Amino acid sequence: MTISPLELPVASTPSELEVVRRDGERMAFDDARIRTALSKAFLAVDAAALESPESQATVAELTAEVTAELTDRRNGRRAVHIEEIQDQVELALMRRGHHAVARAYVLYRHQRAQQRSSPTAGEALRVRLESGDLRELTADDLESPIARACEGLAEARAAELVTEIRRNLYDGVSLAELASARVLAARSSIEQEPEYSQVAARLLLEGLRGEVFGFLGRQPSRDDRDAFPAYVQRGVALGYLAPELLTYDLAELAAGLDPARDQQFQYLGLQTLYDRYFIQHDGTRIELPQFFFMRVAMGLALAEEHRQERAIEFYRLLSSFRFMCSTPTLFNAGTPRPQLSSCFLTTIPDDLSAIYSGIRDNALLSKYAGGLGNDWSPVRALGARIRGTNGESQGVIPFLKVANDTAIAVNQGGKRRGAVCAYLEVWHADVEEFLDLRRNTGDERRRTHDMHTALWIPDLFMKRVAAGGSWTLFSPDEVPDLHDCYGREFERRYQHYEAAAEGGELRLWRRVDAVDLWRRALSRLFETGHPWITFKDACNERSPQGHAGVVHSSNLCTEITLNTSDDEVAVCNLGSLNLPAHLADGEIDRQALASTLRTAMRMLDNVIDDNYYTIPQAERSNRRHRPVGLGLMGFQDALFELRIAYGSQQAVEFADHSMELVSYYALEASCDLAAERGAYPSFRGSLWSQGILPIDSIERLATARGDFLDQDRSASLDWEPLRQRIREHGLRNSNTMAIAPTATISNICGVSQSIEPLYRNLFVKSNLSGEFTVINPYLVRDLKELGLWDEVMISDLKFHDGSVQPIERIPAELKELYSGAFEIDCRWLIEAASRRQKWIDQSQSLNLYVARPDGPLLDNIYKLAWVRGLKTTYYLRSEGASQVEKSTLRKTDGQLNAVAVAEPAACSLDDPECEACQ
């Protein structure tokens, strides 16, 4: 079948718009050529297609649509490239549903591109050196780097990449442009073959090596280890690295580096490190990936007795991708200001000086890459009396506006946006205005478009919603003890204040319908993505540290549940286990898992001692309780490896089993550390000291809540010996586990985020490092085995926005296995999270995906989350209106021609704010 693409236009009608030919020359635009190309395309598929007036009208409409689109996209430009015109023709065919014509059109364009890229016999190109001199382009310039990058990758075709690169070169191309062309050619091929992601990473690494060795003033050697001591010495001299690193035996550490581990990077992971993690000097990167991992390891081993050996141990774990520290640790370990902690939780007192002191603390904590969770519930409500002036308070909302603007102003060291989440208890009299903070209508002075919000909900409110009862709102200055009460004590005191209000003893209160308030919260959640729904009593009844204080909020990403007070800022130190890296022979390798967690928990515990604290309340709290948050990532990859569909009972059972093992070995590791270093100072009186582990604490919640808890309590391991050891030796850490979003560290390791389901099988991911084609390699592998992976399949995946469900030739079992997040009943996510929650002493960042939300459905799933014993929930993600462009992702310049899609309500899938923890 021959389908003619749009040929070069010839001027036949006057037009200001010009067309850029592939050779760079310009010609006048002529829409008649578009009409001709479309006619030929239809005729090639169906010879009788244009016989009817209706078909001719279709071609005319398509021509007008393409012309209008090109005109709209000009943005002041006078010229449009021929490839852009062809892209718009292709998109117009797709939008109108002419799939067969569009599919064939895509294939023909690809064939024509390959023909054009074939080098002309005798053609010679020259490359421009940094000196400005020209020399002939050699095989070493073009072919040798590609061959090295493709080495060991069975599906990567070096010859095809060289051809792709050649057609993007011109005589006199610079060395930098040549290097960029190599990377772009590989990344634009990722949709065809996932192995090209590794090829692109290796090509990027070549350029990075040039930067680093140029910084060090030496030629790249065959062994990067030779340069490691010089990197540390120069980094310390310039003030980028901590002087203490010079006390290590640098030659011995250099010998411990394994440069071969660079080969495991995917393009997205290495580009993320390159853009945002590697230390720079005037825009030049000064560290290679293995230097980076060793720098972090050295920073975490400084306080160790045998720190040389420990640094190598930590390096081996990080560089293997079996475990990864959180972003602040990766940013700052081994630097002069090692702020390594991920999350900070504060309570804002009801005092003007204290409020602004709390906002100042936000700025200081945010400066070095910390994510913030603020408990604002103590601040009195609008209309409350101010004794000092005999006036009335403006409530909590104006102060939230100031906190919002502070987060914008202090942007985490210039590397990420400042990020904060405000928590408010649902009985606070300002709660209705709090629900509207993220709306795009109303008084902008009472809106916080950059701050996250979350409701802190006691069980009594959920019981009133279930019963269709009323709910009373108070100002916290008149009911001060409600803030510190939970469970049955909260119910008793709350009902006491309701009676006091009825009796005229309280000045500021009002009664609302509980169901109406609940529905309004869910409506705002769907509309704006906020407030997140979190449960006060589940967090407190199951907190091992109830003897030492109260959990008043969670953190930025809703996985941390630590005590806060006026003089104590909670701190958590995060890292995540790579779950699929611990699978062997179809099951979890327990020995490997235990080994990883022993080292990982030691690293996390060291963060507390090696940390740079910006405010004293944080240091005091962190050293007294020593909490850490071990999480996991790659849960979806593990399911793919085990051939388990996310939306299944098998997945729920695997979530249970895997988390039980993680919990067991994490607690065992913390107990071992306690035996070596001593238990954390506030251990006595904790649930741990009473032999009450997370699985046991469910009974406390059940007793307090009554009939509104239905959570599985089964176990497969023998926990009694560990209980006895913890009673005897204690734990080194008051809290040990929390599952964070892992928004960027999972990219670094090349696995799926956290406990997230597959988003889509093919999409373009946007983050602060740019746009990246993401394709599911497991699906590609299975389709190859069935002989179904071809250009048409790629086109179908793009047309159906990465979904396999509408593609008839894909078998049903693969459709079930590779269902996207919005194709899975989100109740499966809640059931799996409930099974994990019974083993976790903190919480999980749990996103809920709902393709078509409505009131009854949201009511059902959030009540289910409460009944199943979840402590917190995170984003509600719904499908957006925009879709992936249906044209090919490959263009003449190698750039991506698609956009990330399905933004959930007021959130992107890789929201930089979600990365504040990871």
Side-chain angles (χ1 to χ4, degrees):
M1 183 189 310
T2 300
I3 298 179
S4 173
L6 180 65
E7 301 298 340
L8 289 175
V10 177
S12 62
T13 57
S15 174
E16 293 182 1
L17 187 62
E18 293 180 319
V19 176
V20 180
R21 295 162 51 109
R22 293 184 180 88
D23 59 7
E25 293 187 12
R26 298 192 178 198
M27 301 188 71
F29 175 79
D30 181 6
D31 64 357
R33 291 296 181 180
I34 297 176
R35 188 180 302 109
T36 300
L38 284 166
S39 298
K40 289 181 178 180
F42 276 94
L43 285 169
V45 175
D46 183 357
L50 293 178
E51 292 181 359
S52 67
E54 291 81 3
S55 297
Q56 294 177 12
T58 297
V59 169
E61 291 170 2
L62 286 167
T63 301
E65 182 179 328
V66 171
T67 302
E69 181 66 23
L70 291 169
T71 302
D72 291 343
R73 290 166 65 94
R74 288 173 62 189
N75 293 326
R77 293 181 298 156
R78 288 184 53 83
V80 61
H81 197 280
I82 181 66
E83 291 284 347
E84 185 175 353
I85 301 176
Q86 291 188 355
D87 288 345
Q88 293 305 318
V89 171
E90 191 179 306
L91 284 169
L93 288 168
M94 285 289 194
R95 283 193 291 262
R96 290 297 190 96
H98 301 294
H99 304 149
V101 178
R103 185 181 296 113
Y105 189 86
V106 170
L107 295 176
Y108 184 78
R109 284 186 67 189
H110 181 62
Q111 293 166 4
R112 288 288 297 158
Q114 289 184 318
Q115 293 171 9
R116 287 192 302 272
S117 65
S118 299
T120 304
E123 179 184 3
L125 294 176
R126 294 173 298 172
V127 63
R128 187 176 300 279
L129 306 178
E130 292 183 2
S131 63
D133 296 335
L134 294 172
R135 67 164 171 78
E136 186 176 345
L137 184 68
T138 66
D140 192 57
D141 295 322
L142 188 57
E143 298 174 8
S144 297
I146 298 298
R148 289 194 298 269
C150 293
E151 187 175 347
L153 301 175
E155 301 298 328
R157 301 288 183 262
E160 293 181 9
L161 279 186
V162 170
T163 299
E164 177 73 12
I165 295 167
R166 273 192 175 276
R167 73 188 187 91
N168 292 309
L169 300 182
Y170 62 93
D171 190 38
V173 65
S174 70
L175 288 172
E177 289 171 324
L178 178 60
S180 178
R182 295 190 199 109
V183 175
L184 289 173
R187 66 181 276 186
S188 65
S189 300
I190 293 172
E191 66 171 31
Q192 311 285 332
E193 168 51 56
E195 282 189 354
Y196 285 115
S197 179
Q198 288 175 270
V199 174
R202 295 174 183 182
L203 292 169
L204 177 62
L205 181 63
E206 284 289 316
L208 172 63
R209 294 180 76 249
E211 278 191 63
V212 172
F213 281 93
F215 165 77
L216 296 176
R218 57 200 298 176
Q219 291 296 317
S221 65
R222 299 178 66 181
D223 191 340
D224 295 344
R225 289 172 287 201
D226 294 341
F228 179 74
Y231 146 74
V232 175
Q233 292 161 1
R234 186 81 186 279
V236 170
L238 291 172
Y240 297 126
L241 301 182
E244 292 84 355
L245 300 192
L246 293 175
T247 62
Y248 284 94
D249 183 337
L250 299 180
E252 181 183 358
L253 294 185
L257 296 175
D258 185 359
R261 292 189 172 184
D262 288 341
Q263 303 303 304
Q264 64 190 327
F265 277 108
Q266 302 291 321
Y267 176 65
L268 172 57
L270 187 58
Q271 186 70 59
T272 299
L273 286 177
Y274 181 87
D275 288 339
R276 300 162 58 193
Y277 287 77
F278 293 154
I279 295 174
Q280 302 180 28
H281 174 69
D282 293 337
T284 298
R285 278 72 183 170
I286 73 170
E287 54 188 6
L288 295 169
Q290 302 310 311
F291 293 6
F292 162 75
F293 288 130
M294 184 60 84
R295 183 256 295 171
V296 174
M298 294 164 71
L300 292 177
L302 280 170
E304 291 279 359
E305 181 180 357
H306 304 289
R307 59 183 182 175
Q308 195 80 13
E309 294 82 356
R310 290 298 184 187
I312 293 175
E313 176 188 347
F314 297 167
Y315 160 77
R316 288 173 177 166
L317 183 61
L318 291 171
S319 62
S320 70
F321 292 171
R322 289 185 290 128
F323 168 83
M324 193 57 61
C325 295
S326 65
T327 285
T329 305
L330 298 178
F331 276 169
N332 299 322
T335 69
R337 290 288 185 272
Q339 196 301 102
L340 311 177
S341 297
S342 305
C343 307
F344 300 88
L345 288 68
T346 71
T347 286
I348 309 296
D350 185 33
D351 173 84
L352 188 62
S353 296
I355 289 172
Y356 278 95
S357 177
I359 293 173
R360 173 183 175 274
D361 289 345
N362 276 4
L364 292 172
L365 293 169
S366 182
K367 178 178 179 180
Y368 293 100
L372 308 173
N374 294 157
D375 158 34
W376 287 88
S377 296
V379 178
R380 69 191 66 191
L382 176 67
R385 179 172 296 166
I386 302 174
R387 291 188 180 88
T389 63
N390 198 30
E392 291 189 348
S393 170
Q394 292 298 304
V396 72
I397 303 302
F399 296 117
L400 292 176
K401 176 67 172 175
V402 177
N404 176 87
D405 295 344
T406 301
I408 299 171
V410 184
N411 63 346
Q412 302 197 23
K415 297 179 180 180
R416 299 185 300 179
R417 291 169 57 191
V420 60
C421 181
Y423 285 78
L424 197 73
E425 295 213 39
V426 76
W427 51 260
H428 195 290
D430 287 348
V431 68
E432 291 170 303
E433 274 201 274
F434 182 79
L435 297 180
D436 291 340
L437 280 173
R438 296 280 300 223
R439 299 195 77 187
N440 291 321
T441 59
D443 186 351
E444 280 297 304
R445 292 170 298 180
R446 304 184 78 82
R447 296 290 180 265
T448 59
H449 299 298
D450 304 281
M451 173 188 285
H452 301 289
T453 61
L455 281 181
W456 197 236
I457 300 176
D459 284 349
L460 180 61
F461 175 75
M462 297 302 295
K463 292 176 182 178
R464 294 276 180 94
V465 171
S470 62
W471 185 248
T472 308
L473 305 180
F474 301 104
S475 181
D477 60 315
E478 295 188 288
V479 291
D481 57 336
L482 286 187
H483 182 242
D484 287 329
C485 292
Y486 57 88
R488 290 183 171 178
E489 176 64 13
F490 176 87
E491 292 192 15
R492 186 180 69 80
R493 294 299 297 161
Y494 185 85
Q495 291 166 356
H496 164 78
Y497 285 123
E498 284 187 310
E502 290 284 357
E505 298 177 35
L506 300 182
R507 176 177 177 273
L508 183 62
W509 64 278
R510 69 179 181 279
R511 187 155 291 161
V512 298
D513 185 274
V515 173
D516 286 346
L517 185 59
W518 173 246
R519 287 175 176 170
R520 182 171 176 181
L522 296 182
S523 175
R524 293 294 177 266
L525 179 62
F526 169 63
E527 177 187 348
T528 71
H530 296 84
W532 299 328
I533 305 299
T534 59
F535 302 111
K536 176 182 181 178
D537 290 352
C539 292
N540 278 285
E541 293 289 356
R542 298 192 59 201
S543 170
Q545 288 293 98
H547 72 298
V550 177
V551 182
H552 292 119
S553 72
S554 187
N555 66 316
L556 176 67
C557 304
T558 74
E559 82 276 16
I560 303 303
T561 54
L562 300 175
N563 300 341
T564 60
S565 63
D566 291 359
D567 60 355
E568 195 168 88
V569 171
V571 184
C572 203
N573 318 290
L574 303 182
S576 293
L577 170 85
N578 183 344
L579 188 57
H582 294 81
L583 296 179
D585 301 321
E587 60 183 19
I588 295 176
D589 184 335
R590 296 190 182 189
Q591 184 175 355
L593 183 67
S595 175
T596 291
L597 293 182
R598 274 195 299 273
T599 301
M601 291 296 288
R602 191 178 197 95
M603 293 168 70
L604 292 175
D605 187 61
N606 285 356
V607 165
I608 298 165
D609 298 315
D610 296 334
N611 204 30
Y612 170 75
Y613 295 95
T614 55
I615 60 174
Q617 307 96 302
E619 181 173 12
R620 184 166 54 246
S621 169
N622 215 23
R623 293 189 183 278
R624 181 183 178 212
H625 307 301
R626 307 189 67 85
V628 300
L630 177 80
L632 60 85
M633 56 184 166
F635 182 76
Q636 176 70 92
D637 292 83
L639 292 181
F640 285 151
E641 292 281 3
L642 299 173
R643 313 295 292 178
I644 298 174
Y646 205 118
S648 69
Q649 187 60 33
Q650 277 184 287
V652 173
E653 297 295 337
F654 178 71
D656 191 337
H657 173 64
S658 58
M659 199 67 230
E660 181 178 9
L661 291 175
V662 170
S663 180
Y664 187 94
Y665 293 123
L667 292 175
E668 183 181 62
S670 186
C671 185
D672 290 343
L673 284 171
E676 175 188 342
R677 298 173 168 179
Y680 68 91
S682 61
F683 174 75
R684 294 302 167 194
S686 68
L687 294 188
W688 306 115
S689 68
Q690 303 169 49
I692 300 175
L693 305 185
I695 182 65
D696 309 313
S697 67
I698 298 176
E699 181 60 32
R700 293 168 54 88
L701 180 60
T703 300
R705 185 177 289 182
D707 296 332
F708 292 96
L709 181 67
D710 183 7
Q711 188 171 16
D712 180 271
R713 304 189 207 180
S714 62
S716 62
L717 301 179
D718 181 4
W719 285 82
E720 190 54 35
L722 184 56
R723 280 191 187 90
Q724 295 302 326
R725 285 198 64 216
I726 291 173
R727 284 196 187 100
E728 179 183 355
H729 298 291
L731 287 178
R732 182 63 175 167
N733 314 100
S734 65
N735 297 77
T736 59
M737 290 164 284
I739 299 180
T742 73
T744 49
I745 65 170
S746 57
N747 292 338
I748 294 170
C749 296
V751 297
S752 56
Q753 290 182 204
S754 189
I755 51 176
E756 295 284 282
L758 170 75
Y759 174 49
R760 286 177 176 170
N761 290 288
L762 174 63
F763 67 102
V764 175
K765 181 172 191 163
S766 295
N767 63 19
L768 295 181
S769 294
E771 294 183 344
F772 302 86
T773 302
V774 178
I775 191 164
N776 181 0
Y778 299 96
L779 172 65
V780 175
R781 177 196 63 192
D782 286 351
L783 292 178
K784 283 181 177 178
E785 290 178 357
L786 296 173
L788 297 176
W789 186 247
D790 51 31
E791 292 279 356
V792 174
M793 181 62 73
I794 296 170
S795 177
D796 285 343
L797 276 174
K798 283 187 286 188
F799 178 74
H800 294 296
D801 299 309
S803 173
V804 298
Q805 306 305 322
I807 304 176
E808 294 182 0
R809 56 188 181 134
I810 294 181
E813 59 270 21
L814 293 189
K815 290 184 178 182
E816 181 182 13
L817 181 61
Y818 297 119
S819 295
F822 294 105
E823 297 164 337
I824 300 170
D825 188 329
C826 71
R827 286 172 291 191
W828 286 116
L829 277 68
I830 294 172
E831 297 294 349
S834 176
R835 293 294 190 93
R836 289 190 207 94
Q837 189 63 74
K838 67 181 180 178
W839 304 114
I840 302 173
D841 51 47
Q842 296 196 68
S843 189
Q844 326 165 55
S845 295
L846 177 67
N847 293 311
L848 297 176
Y849 293 81
V850 183
R852 297 172 184 82
D854 58 49
L857 177 59
L858 296 185
D859 178 67
N860 178 277
I861 62 177
Y862 282 99
K863 284 179 178 175
L864 178 65
W866 176 61
V867 169
R868 288 290 189 265
L870 297 192
K871 294 181 179 181
T872 61
T873 64
Y874 196 26
Y875 279 107
L876 170 68
R877 302 194 184 278
S878 59
E879 286 190 297
S882 60
Q883 300 295 321
V884 172
E885 291 189 11
K886 305 303 188 292
S887 62
T888 176
L889 298 186
R890 302 183 69 175
K891 294 176 64 177
T892 53
D893 60 358
Q895 296 284 351
L896 297 178
N897 185 31
V899 293
V901 299
E903 290 193 356
C907 173
S908 68
L909 252 196
D910 195 24
D911 189 338
E913 294 166 347
C914 301
E915 299 172 6
C917 286
Q918 291 284 12

